[in-house]
Amino acid sequence: MSRGRKQVKRPLKRKPNIVLVGFMGTGKTSVGRRLSSQLRMHCVDTDDIIEQESGRRINDIFAEDGEPAFRQLESEAVHKVSKMCNQVIATGGGVVLKEANMKKLKQNGVVFCLTATAEEIYRRIGHQTHRPLLQTPDALAKIRTMLAERHPYYAQADYMVKTTGCSFGEILAYIKKVFQHTVARNL
Ligand code: S3P
């Protein structure tokens, strides 16, 4: 029989994830990559998972199977990443639309919503062609409408992070500070 203090078996605290949500073009992917390297965390992107696992581009999934089929794949990707820990999880802009997605992402993650004005989003991504929802003659009007419709969903995030008029360094510093305080409080 071993001597000394009895070992108490208790579940180990898992290092939480940083979850980045927000409208298209708010910088989730680039912020996610930089954060993960600075914090030595892994980085995953739900859109990448969908494309890798389906072997198709998002544009093609929308065109061939429609948005509901894409949302189903997105929920499956969320289910997968939300079981991980120590990840920076970048998500697609519409992930917030399903309550179940947000619930899962919050279970082991601090959710940050990156925000930007419609004009800024248009300036950043208005010329790109890989976002099916913005392939319309008046992309700026579509961005304005979608931002208004989605506002209550994005507001479910734990923290809102303004990106318009802020430097990349300021955005990273804010998220790191909040995340580190949150982790420290829960130890
Ligand atoms: C979408 C955002 C996209 C991608 C898909 C749908 C959305 O991701 O998931 O085109 O509904 O806002 P990004 O936010 O990374 O562009």
Side-chain angles (χ1 to χ4, degrees), residues 21-29 45-47 50 58-59 62 67 70-71 74 90-95 97 125 128 130-134 146 150 154:
V21 302
F23 200 81
M24 296 170 267
T26 50
K28 302 175 297 276
T29 305
D45 186 311
T46 54
D47 283 346
I50 294 166
I58 287 172
N59 257 336
F62 268 76
E67 185 172 345
F70 171 78
R71 296 295 169 208
E74 186 170 55
T91 61
V95 90
L97 300 173
I125 62 167
Q128 296 176 350
H130 66 278
R131 291 184 176 85
L133 295 174
L134 297 183
M146 287 178 73
R150 290 184 176 184
Y154 291 130

Side-chain angles (χ1 to χ4, degrees), residues 92-122:
V95 90
V96 296
L97 300 173
K98 283 194 185 169
E99 199 183 334
N101 288 346
M102 285 299 267
K103 207 168 157 189
K104 285 180 188 172
L105 291 167
K106 279 186 178 185
Q107 263 164 16
N108 186 41
V110 186
V111 181
F112 293 88
C113 178
L114 306 190
T115 70
T117 61
E119 292 71 21
E120 176 66 16
I121 291 169
Y122 180 71

Side-chain angles (χ1 to χ4, degrees), residues 10-17 106-111 158-159 177-187:
R10 57 169 80 91
L12 285 172
K13 281 254 178 201
R14 300 196 313 158
K15 191 162 180 210
N17 300 317
K106 279 186 178 185
Q107 263 164 16
N108 186 41
V110 186
V111 181
D158 298 311
Y159 299 94
K177 190 177 89 184
V178 172
F179 180 66
Q180 279 158 351
H181 282 178
T182 308
V183 173
R185 268 205 317 270
N186 289 324
L187 283 179

Side-chain angles (χ1 to χ4, degrees), residues 51 57-64 129-133 135:
E51 291 195 336
R57 312 297 302 184
I58 287 172
N59 257 336
D60 297 329
I61 301 172
F62 268 76
E64 291 159 16
T129 56
H130 66 278
R131 291 184 176 85
L133 295 174
Q135 301 319 301

